[in-house]
Amino acid sequence: MEPLTRQKFSELLSQRVMFLDGAYGTELFKRGYIKNREPIELLNITNAKAVLSLQSDYVCAGVDFLLTNTFSANRHKLMKLGYDEYFKEINQSAVKIAKEATKVANKQVFVLGDISSVGEMIEPLGELKSKYVYNIFKEQVEVLVDVGVDGIIIETMSDIKEAKLAYLAARDVAPEIPVLVSMTFEENGVTVTGTSLEVYVALFNDLDVDAIGINCTLTPEKMVPLVKKLVALSKKPVFVEPNAGKPTLSADGKLTYKTTPEEFTIYIEDYVELGANIVGGCCGTGPEHIKYMVQHIGLKRPKARKVEELNVVTSRVHMFNVAPFLVVGERINASARKKLHNEIREFNFENVLKLAKSQEQEGAQVIDVNFGIESVLSEEHFSKAIVELDKIVSIPISFDIQYNEFLESALMEYPGRPLINSSKATKEELDKKIRLLKRYGGLLIVLAMGKEIPKTAEERYTLGKMAVEYLESQGIDRSRIFVDPLVLPIGANQDYNVTLETIKKLSSDGIKTMIGLSNFSFGMPNRDELNASFLALAMHSGLSGAILNTSEDATMKILRGMIRILGKESARISEEVKSSEL
Amino acid sequence: MEPLTRQKFSELLSQRVMFLDGAYGTELFKRGYIKNREPIELLNITNAKAVLSLQSDYVCAGVDFLLTNTFSANRHKLMKLGYDEYFKEINQSAVKIAKEATKVANKQVFVLGDISSVGEMIEPLGELKSKYVYNIFKEQVEVLVDVGVDGIIIETMSDIKEAKLAYLAARDVAPEIPVLVSMTFEENGVTVTGTSLEVYVALFNDLDVDAIGINCTLTPEKMVPLVKKLVALSKKPVFVEPNAGKPTLSADGKLTYKTTPEEFTIYIEDYVELGANIVGGCCGTGPEHIKYMVQHIGLKRPKARKVEELNVVTSRVHMFNVAPFLVVGERINASARKKLHNEIREFNFENVLKLAKSQEQEGAQVIDVNFGIESVLSEEHFSKAIVELDKIVSIPISFDIQYNEFLESALMEYPGRPLINSSKATKEELDKKIRLLKRYGGLLIVLAMGKEIPKTAEERYTLGKMAVEYLESQGIDRSRIFVDPLVLPIGANQDYNVTLETIKKLSSDGIKTMIGLSNFSFGMPNRDELNASFLALAMHSGLSGAILNTSEDATMKILRGMIRILGKESARISEEVKSSEL
Ligand SMILES: [Zn+2]
Ligand SMILES: [Zn+2]
Ligand SMILES: [Zn+2]
């Protein structure tokens, strides 16, 4: 049989709704194979028949994808349980058993290598280092891929950073096969670590995953609202695996899941109706649930979905819409602050954190991070800073980092959809940023300049537009780009109308713009007066965001005032359009 | 001989420099005619020959204008001295003597009825009422005109309000003959009551006077800088009469003026060189000074002058350039403040004054005065308020008064060049305001509306422009007009771009614009955010002034910021023009 390419995976999903299997843990427990504290994955080498039997049942039930019994079989988790010496054997055996099981099928069944959490928290929530965790995942994926899985499924993740690291490991090891990612949410639509479904989807929409899913934790019924959000926001195929209800603990210590195959299937039908591409079961579901589901859903074309663009930047826990206006705080900037720069060099982030916190309180939606002269810094300065900020600051970060390797370590550490600040509009620099945007997601600010700053608005506009079109040709959507039309100091007698004109031209093409506002008043007294005034003019010209000094009261008032004015204006216009249509 | 019309006066002045006479008081004292405490004007009836002799000497010296010996002969001053029963006789006789004296001339010599201060201060500097003082002057001018003076000269005034009242009286009595007005200044260019030469000229440029002069107090040398200012700023013919130096008091109690006829004439030549139209002498000068002057100057065409436009509004002591931007404080507005309105009704102006003072401190350049519902008020509410404001507030006033008779009493009382707020753009209303502008001077705000507010910018612009052109056709210069393009509440879903567009169109025609800024945010929360934002946009569109809330910090910051930005921009542009011309 031909191997499962990403292309083929995508084609299959476009043809019909496909089926995942059900639970392993709860089912193997029910069947009496689980001893205290022993990972169920140990069965792969101690009782392969038990696993094969369950998997054969799933195959007979009609699944399209069979998962390997490797959910907890990463080296870190096995080590904690004392079984890490069997790491390789457990994973290799798992793939073999699954492949064996698929043989009983009367259709092609694909084997997905199952990956989940390392079972301990990563910094700053816990002690583990990102690179260590990345390597743990990488090692497991390598084994699974070596033995021949058709794809990788990352499941039941509750920390978005861990999900991202697992994804990066899987994609790095296996660029050619499908990688499916799924996180698990509480009833309020947020993971136990505070990440909302929206933040999760916003990030993974940017990444090179083949499907985005949600699984576990919730009953089929409680999962419906989350499925609605997921199908509305995900640009990728969607998969859903609910639990078979909420477990009850019986007198003899047994967990019982009460949702019947029939009830389970009613909700699965709802998911499919909403537009889910792949459905299956999580804890408490067994072959009967899957069989009933497959029979009832049968061959069904996936429902077409209308996807809302998530025009947002996010941290782990906060998401800000780019519209109507994105406010980026500029004050973590060590380029002109020797003391701050020295503190950073010594890994003393106290003032960085204070500045972040105060900007957040003043109304910043994103915090720009610029550590000044980078030749005296190391990757650790950046990755450590991101971890520290993640602890204390809940708003997103704008990465104002010059050296690409430092930028990449910071992005690796970042638990959200970032803003990257910035790239010149040269192919060489854009190519570097495109790689990072694809690997880590996020939005990019492109400066409307090459080696020099063009003098006229027409030139800046043309350069900005060309950059946007090049990025689009490389798969980076226009919605992920801001063009910076460049603000020059009025003290140097620069013509600020060039900037305003560039903004107008770009925004009439639907291209977002972002300025470094304070540069306008560079070297002048009473900078807030000048900054606030210019902000009003730039916003009226169509500006989409600014990096600015949130401690300037007048500037923040103009910001709020102009947002209200422009909001009123667009409401008025759409009102006019409506009444003219009547 | 034909009488002196204003037309003829103007023609004569365009042909050659003309001559006034010298002093009466100091000269008659020197000749031994003056007894203690007796006004020299008493001589007109007690020793007409003495007066005739001096005046004949002046005629022989070659004057073109002979003044009547009536400087202190107004009824109020005579009354203070105990001679008011002779008021009529003194003035009548004075004209007759002067006319008699002119008969010895070999050219046409005109008799100017001489008027000066009532000798006591008007409210608020003193106790006298404006109407009383106006009537005192009117009575004297009536007598002088009755007997047949060719013109009226108002001299040596140090209170601009008194000068204005004297002018109004003269012009009201004698619309057909020349009226010349002169104030007297200290060496620093300011009268003893605090009015600068600029404020004086700014007001009298607007009024229907035939010449503007300065006289007395200063030596010929010290007067030079003031003459320079006067010739640079006066739109009317200019006259100058210095003293014959600084007097010294001799041991026997005699005042001696030391400037010789030769030295006197050196400076007179300077004045003529600068562009003075009429020259003569004040205290200490006698027939020898005048004779020497006339012989030396001879027949001379007046020097052409280049007049700088005084685009200002003024109070008694303060002047604000309309450019780059005029800031009018809006807070004395009793229309929506019942308590304030009630206080005003009861002539309690405490809070009005407090509001004025605080707006001045916040940066207002002009204070708008709106007393709300006027049907329950009287003329006295307005004239009294202006007197009270004159006491305590040093910045100019914007007269936001509906009833024309109330507006006129307020203007009558006002010691400066006011702003009149406002007139609709209808002929009927404009005509009423034109009369007031001509009589009291000042600038006018014209609303770009007739009975209703036009919807489009094109209509508002056209209406505003037509109003400006009509005012110009009636002698009101474009520099004295602001058009209000009308700001409507954004809360009512009005299209603010209509206002901005109207501003742009008007200002590209060199028409000044003024808005009532706060109307923009009417009924909305956080009004300062909206007002400040809209101010930036309007100023960028070319706005020339705004009535606004000076207690809004953000608004004041935008004001200062935009003034700096636009100032930088126009400097940059003129720099570019300069370098392109090289
Ligand atoms: Zn589960
Ligand atoms: Zn004098
Ligand atoms: Zn005099």
Side-chain angles (χ1 to χ4, degrees):
Chain A
M1 272 185 279
E2 55 177 320
L4 183 60
T5 61
R6 299 180 66 188
Q7 174 67 25
K8 185 176 174 193
F9 178 75
S10 164
E11 279 165 19
L12 287 171
L13 290 188
S14 71
Q15 287 159 16
R16 65 172 175 88
V17 174
M18 299 187 83
F19 303 105
L20 279 164
D21 58 16
Y24 286 75
T26 50
E27 196 60 23
L28 290 168
F29 188 85
K30 215 165 82 181
R31 295 184 181 196
Y33 298 118
I34 312 245
K35 291 172 202 139
N36 252 354
R37 286 194 42 79
E38 264 185 15
I40 63 160
E41 289 79 2
L42 199 61
L43 290 174
N44 297 343
I45 53 173
T46 58
N47 192 350
K49 277 195 182 158
V51 177
L52 179 64
S53 160
L54 174 57
Q55 294 201 307
S56 303
D57 289 350
Y58 280 132
V59 170
C60 291
V63 300
D64 296 297
F65 301 104
L66 192 63
L67 273 55
T68 56
N69 182 32
T70 52
F71 185 87
S72 297
N74 60 73
R75 187 187 290 277
H76 187 77
K77 202 157 179 187
L78 289 178
M79 184 185 71
K80 288 298 223 183
L81 297 166
Y83 297 97
D84 52 324
E85 61 186 303
Y86 307 109
F87 159 74
K88 206 163 183 178
E89 219 183 326
I90 286 172
N91 280 284
Q92 287 172 330
S93 178
V95 182
K96 286 175 194 153
I97 299 167
K99 288 196 154 200
E100 180 65 26
T102 65
K103 288 182 182 157
V104 300
N106 49 7
K107 63 176 175 182
Q108 187 164 15
V109 174
F110 303 101
V111 173
L112 301 180
D114 193 27
I115 301 276
S116 190
S117 173
V118 297
E120 240 187 301
M121 290 299 206
I122 305 168
E123 289 183 320
L125 303 178
E127 303 286 319
L128 298 185
K129 301 278 180 197
S130 293
K131 279 218 174 121
Y132 169 79
V133 172
Y134 168 81
N135 285 325
I136 288 290
F137 287 129
K138 197 169 176 188
E139 183 190 23
Q140 189 183 8
V141 175
E142 273 165 351
V143 174
L144 294 170
V145 167
D146 259 3
V147 190
V149 292
D150 297 299
I152 297 290
I153 186 165
I154 298 158
E155 275 191 309
T156 327
M157 301 303 257
S158 57
D159 172 7
I160 191 170
K161 189 161 169 178
E162 191 178 15
K164 175 172 141 178
L165 293 168
Y167 153 74
L168 286 171
R171 182 49 78 222
D172 288 349
V173 172
E176 312 285 350
I177 62 174
V179 174
L180 294 72
V181 175
S182 173
M183 288 188 73
T184 190
F185 293 87
E186 304 294 299
E187 204 176 320
N188 59 2
V190 171
T191 69
V192 288
T193 59
T195 298
S196 69
L197 184 120
E198 288 87 346
V199 166
Y200 159 56
V201 176
L203 174 59
F204 278 88
N205 269 343
D206 285 352
L207 304 184
D208 197 19
V209 294
D210 296 274
I212 299 179
I214 52 179
N215 75 298
C216 206
T217 307
L218 300 176
T219 68
E221 186 185 0
K222 298 283 189 197
M223 212 165 235
V224 173
L226 274 71
V227 175
K228 283 183 180 164
K229 278 191 195 173
L230 180 62
V231 296
L233 302 174
S234 172
K235 293 180 166 183
K236 316 276 181 176
V238 154
F239 66 104
V240 189
E241 303 165 86
N243 285 350
K246 226 177 154 180
T248 49
L249 195 65
S250 61
D252 56 348
K254 269 174 79 176
L255 280 179
T256 316
Y257 288 83
K258 295 267 180 66
T259 304
T260 62
E262 293 78 3
E263 202 187 333
F264 175 79
T265 299
I266 288 171
Y267 289 106
I268 295 286
E269 277 190 300
D270 287 348
Y271 306 161
V272 169
E273 202 53 41
L274 288 166
N277 297 86
I278 312 176
V279 284
C282 203
C283 306
T285 60
E288 326 83 65
H289 292 88
I290 302 304
K291 189 170 184 182
Y292 199 91
M293 169 184 82
V294 172
Q295 283 176 352
H296 264 74
I297 306 292
L299 286 177
K300 207 161 216 160
R301 277 212 167 272
K303 207 84 181 183
R305 292 186 282 129
K306 206 174 152 186
V307 178
E308 286 168 44
E309 185 78 39
L310 268 172
N311 281 323
V312 297
V313 279
T314 87
S315 64
R316 178 194 290 280
V317 295
H318 257 309
M319 174 170 93
F320 285 98
N321 263 300
V322 163
F325 196 83
L326 197 64
V327 185
V328 183
E330 71 178 13
R331 291 222 302 294
I332 301 182
N333 188 329
S335 9
R337 301 177 68 175
K338 198 155 180 61
K339 187 171 164 286
L340 187 64
H341 186 68
N342 285 336
E343 288 170 7
I344 291 164
R345 274 182 81 168
E346 288 158 14
F347 290 93
N348 170 2
F349 295 111
E350 197 184 318
N351 280 314
V352 167
L353 297 179
K354 268 189 197 161
L355 283 167
K357 207 66 202 161
S358 58
Q359 289 181 94
E360 183 178 1
Q361 280 154 1
E362 288 155 5
Q365 296 171 322
V366 180
I367 288 173
D368 194 65
V369 170
N370 180 327
F371 282 174
I373 301 162
E374 294 178 0
S375 52
V376 295
L377 302 177
S378 68
E379 284 190 23
E380 283 64 40
H381 287 99
F382 293 91
S383 53
K384 189 91 174 78
I386 300 308
V387 168
E388 291 300 314
L389 284 164
D390 186 15
K391 260 189 216 170
I392 200 166
V393 180
S394 59
I395 65 176
I397 289 174
S398 158
F399 293 83
D400 195 350
I401 302 174
Q402 306 305 307
Y403 287 21
N404 269 294
E405 62 272 36
F406 295 171
L407 175 56
E408 181 157 9
S409 0
L411 289 171
M412 175 92 170
E413 210 62 59
Y414 188 65
R417 190 187 197 209
L419 179 61
I420 298 177
N421 176 20
S422 56
S423 173
K424 285 184 187 158
T426 62
K427 183 174 181 306
E428 192 195 347
E429 239 197 278
L430 287 172
D431 282 340
K432 283 181 187 157
K433 295 302 192 291
I434 288 165
R435 191 185 72 79
L436 296 177
L437 285 168
K438 290 195 166 183
R439 187 167 169 76
Y440 300 101
L443 287 77
L444 176 68
I445 301 173
V446 180
L447 307 175
M449 63 180 290
K451 277 185 189 151
E452 297 198 337
I453 297 176
K455 281 221 160 175
T456 68
E458 184 60 35
E459 291 167 291
R460 290 190 203 170
Y461 159 70
T462 306
L463 197 57
K465 195 179 178 187
M466 276 170 54
V468 169
E469 283 166 358
Y470 178 65
L471 284 159
E472 285 181 318
S473 77
Q474 301 299 305
I476 306 298
D477 194 87
R478 184 169 293 220
S479 66
R480 294 172 65 184
I481 312 164
F482 289 93
V483 172
D484 182 342
L486 301 169
V487 171
L488 300 177
I490 187 159
N493 277 326
Q494 296 293 338
D495 182 0
Y496 67 87
N497 284 305
V498 171
T499 307
L500 298 181
E501 208 46 53
T502 311
I503 293 170
K504 274 184 205 155
K505 283 168 183 279
L506 288 166
S507 63
S508 78
D509 280 354
I511 295 171
K512 285 202 285 276
T513 48
M514 168 87 72
I515 58 173
L517 179 62
S518 298
N519 205 31
F520 185 68
S521 62
F522 180 79
M524 302 285 278
N526 301 109
R527 298 183 65 170
D528 57 342
E529 299 174 3
L530 298 171
N531 293 343
S533 297
F534 190 66
L535 181 62
L537 305 185
M539 289 180 76
H540 193 245
S541 298
L543 187 70
S544 331
I547 304 167
L548 50 75
N549 185 344
T550 53
S551 76
E552 292 175 356
D553 258 13
T555 301
M556 297 309 280
K557 287 198 168 186
I558 289 301
L559 179 76
R560 294 190 293 267
M562 283 304 302
I563 286 171
R564 289 163 70 197
I565 290 169
L566 298 169
K568 267 276 175 194
E569 179 63 4
S570 67
R572 193 190 61 75
I573 288 168
S574 59
E575 200 55 43
E576 266 185 16
V577 169
K578 243 187 255 164
S579 65
S580 78
E581 280 168 351
L582 289 177
Chain B
M1 272 184 278
E2 56 176 322
L4 181 63
T5 61
R6 300 181 64 187
Q7 173 67 24
K8 187 176 171 193
F9 177 76
S10 163
E11 280 165 18
L12 286 170
L13 290 187
S14 71
Q15 287 158 16
R16 64 173 176 89
V17 174
M18 299 187 83
F19 304 106
L20 279 163
D21 57 18
Y24 285 75
T26 52
E27 197 60 23
L28 290 168
F29 188 86
K30 215 165 79 181
R31 297 183 180 197
Y33 298 119
I34 312 243
K35 294 173 199 138
N36 253 356
R37 284 194 42 80
E38 265 185 12
I40 64 158
E41 289 80 1
L42 199 59
L43 292 174
N44 297 343
I45 52 173
T46 58
N47 191 350
K49 278 194 184 161
V51 178
L52 179 63
S53 162
L54 174 58
Q55 295 202 305
S56 302
D57 290 350
Y58 280 131
V59 170
C60 291
V63 301
D64 297 296
F65 301 104
L66 192 65
L67 272 56
T68 56
N69 182 33
T70 53
F71 185 87
S72 295
N74 59 72
R75 187 187 290 279
H76 186 77
K77 203 158 180 186
L78 291 177
M79 185 184 70
K80 290 299 225 185
L81 298 165
Y83 297 97
D84 54 324
E85 60 185 303
Y86 308 106
F87 159 75
K88 207 163 184 177
E89 221 183 325
I90 287 172
N91 281 284
Q92 285 172 332
S93 180
V95 180
K96 285 173 195 157
I97 298 167
K99 288 197 155 200
E100 180 65 24
T102 64
K103 288 183 185 161
V104 300
N106 51 4
K107 63 175 176 182
Q108 188 165 14
V109 174
F110 302 102
V111 173
L112 301 180
D114 194 28
I115 302 276
S116 190
S117 172
V118 296
E120 241 188 299
M121 291 298 207
I122 305 167
E123 287 184 325
L125 304 177
E127 304 286 320
L128 299 186
K129 299 280 179 194
S130 292
K131 277 214 176 126
Y132 169 78
V133 172
Y134 168 82
N135 285 324
I136 288 290
F137 289 127
K138 196 169 177 188
E139 183 190 22
Q140 190 184 8
V141 175
E142 271 165 351
V143 175
L144 295 169
V145 167
D146 259 3
V147 191
V149 293
D150 297 300
I152 296 291
I153 185 164
I154 298 158
E155 276 193 307
T156 327
M157 300 303 257
S158 57
D159 172 6
I160 191 169
K161 190 161 168 179
E162 191 179 15
K164 175 172 141 178
L165 294 167
Y167 153 74
L168 286 171
R171 184 48 79 224
D172 287 350
V173 172
E176 313 284 349
I177 63 174
V179 173
L180 293 74
V181 175
S182 174
M183 289 186 74
T184 190
F185 294 87
E186 304 294 300
E187 204 178 319
N188 60 2
V190 171
T191 68
V192 288
T193 58
T195 297
S196 68
L197 184 121
E198 288 86 347
V199 166
Y200 159 56
V201 176
L203 174 59
F204 279 87
N205 269 343
D206 286 351
L207 303 184
D208 197 18
V209 293
D210 297 274
I212 298 179
I214 53 180
N215 76 300
C216 207
T217 306
L218 300 175
T219 68
E221 185 185 0
K222 298 283 190 199
M223 213 165 235
V224 173
L226 274 72
V227 176
K228 282 184 181 162
K229 278 192 196 172
L230 179 63
V231 297
L233 301 174
S234 172
K235 294 180 166 182
K236 315 278 180 174
V238 153
F239 66 104
V240 188
E241 303 166 88
N243 285 350
K246 228 181 151 175
T248 50
L249 195 65
S250 63
D252 58 347
K254 269 174 79 178
L255 280 178
T256 317
Y257 288 83
K258 295 267 180 66
T259 305
T260 62
E262 294 79 3
E263 202 188 332
F264 174 78
T265 300
I266 288 171
Y267 291 104
I268 295 286
E269 278 189 299
D270 288 349
Y271 306 162
V272 169
E273 202 54 41
L274 288 166
N277 298 86
I278 311 175
V279 285
C282 204
C283 307
T285 61
E288 327 82 67
H289 293 89
I290 301 303
K291 190 171 181 180
Y292 198 89
M293 169 185 82
V294 173
Q295 282 176 353
H296 266 74
I297 307 293
L299 285 177
K300 207 159 216 161
R301 278 213 166 272
K303 208 76 181 193
R305 293 187 280 129
K306 207 174 150 187
V307 177
E308 286 168 42
E309 185 78 40
L310 268 172
N311 281 323
V312 297
V313 279
T314 86
S315 64
R316 178 193 292 279
V317 296
H318 257 311
M319 174 171 95
F320 286 99
N321 264 299
V322 163
F325 196 84
L326 196 65
V327 185
V328 184
E330 71 178 11
R331 292 222 302 291
I332 301 182
N333 189 330
S335 9
R337 301 177 67 177
K338 199 155 179 60
K339 187 170 163 288
L340 186 64
H341 185 70
N342 285 336
E343 288 169 7
I344 292 164
R345 275 182 81 167
E346 288 158 14
F347 290 92
N348 169 3
F349 295 111
E350 198 184 316
N351 280 314
V352 167
L353 297 178
K354 268 189 199 161
L355 282 167
K357 207 66 204 160
S358 58
Q359 289 181 92
E360 183 177 0
Q361 281 154 0
E362 288 156 5
Q365 297 172 320
V366 180
I367 288 173
D368 194 66
V369 170
N370 180 327
F371 283 174
I373 301 161
E374 295 178 0
S375 53
V376 296
L377 302 176
S378 68
E379 285 190 22
E380 284 63 41
H381 287 98
F382 293 90
S383 53
K384 189 90 175 83
I386 299 308
V387 168
E388 292 299 315
L389 284 164
D390 187 15
K391 261 189 214 167
I392 200 166
V393 180
S394 59
I395 63 174
I397 288 173
S398 158
F399 294 82
D400 195 350
I401 302 174
Q402 306 305 306
Y403 287 21
N404 269 294
E405 61 272 34
F406 295 171
L407 175 56
E408 181 155 11
S409 358
L411 289 171
M412 175 91 171
E413 211 62 58
Y414 187 67
R417 190 187 197 207
L419 178 61
I420 299 177
N421 176 18
S422 57
S423 173
K424 285 183 186 157
T426 61
K427 185 174 181 305
E428 192 194 348
E429 239 196 279
L430 288 172
D431 283 340
K432 285 181 186 157
K433 295 303 192 291
I434 287 165
R435 190 185 72 79
L436 296 176
L437 286 168
K438 291 196 164 182
R439 189 168 168 76
Y440 302 101
L443 287 76
L444 176 68
I445 301 173
V446 180
L447 306 175
M449 63 180 289
K451 277 183 190 154
E452 297 198 338
I453 298 177
K455 281 221 160 173
T456 68
E458 184 60 32
E459 290 167 293
R460 290 190 204 171
Y461 159 71
T462 306
L463 198 57
K465 194 179 180 190
M466 277 171 53
V468 169
E469 283 166 358
Y470 178 66
L471 284 158
E472 285 181 317
S473 78
Q474 300 301 303
I476 306 299
D477 194 88
R478 183 169 294 218
S479 66
R480 294 172 66 186
I481 312 164
F482 289 93
V483 172
D484 181 342
L486 300 169
V487 171
L488 300 177
I490 188 160
N493 276 327
Q494 295 293 337
D495 182 2
Y496 67 88
N497 284 305
V498 171
T499 306
L500 297 180
E501 206 48 52
T502 310
I503 294 170
K504 274 184 205 156
K505 283 168 183 278
L506 288 167
S507 62
S508 78
D509 280 354
I511 295 172
K512 287 202 284 277
T513 47
M514 167 87 72
I515 58 173
L517 179 62
S518 298
N519 205 32
F520 185 67
S521 62
F522 180 79
M524 302 285 279
N526 301 107
R527 297 185 65 171
D528 58 341
E529 298 174 3
L530 298 171
N531 293 342
S533 297
F534 189 66
L535 180 62
L537 305 185
M539 288 181 77
H540 193 245
S541 298
L543 187 68
S544 332
I547 304 167
L548 49 76
N549 186 346
T550 52
S551 75
E552 292 175 356
D553 258 14
T555 301
M556 296 309 279
K557 287 198 169 188
I558 290 301
L559 180 73
R560 295 189 293 267
M562 282 304 302
I563 286 171
R564 289 164 69 197
I565 291 170
L566 297 170
K568 268 277 176 196
E569 178 65 3
S570 66
R572 193 189 62 74
I573 288 168
S574 59
E575 200 57 44
E576 267 185 16
V577 169
K578 244 187 253 163
S579 64
S580 77
E581 279 167 352
L582 290 175

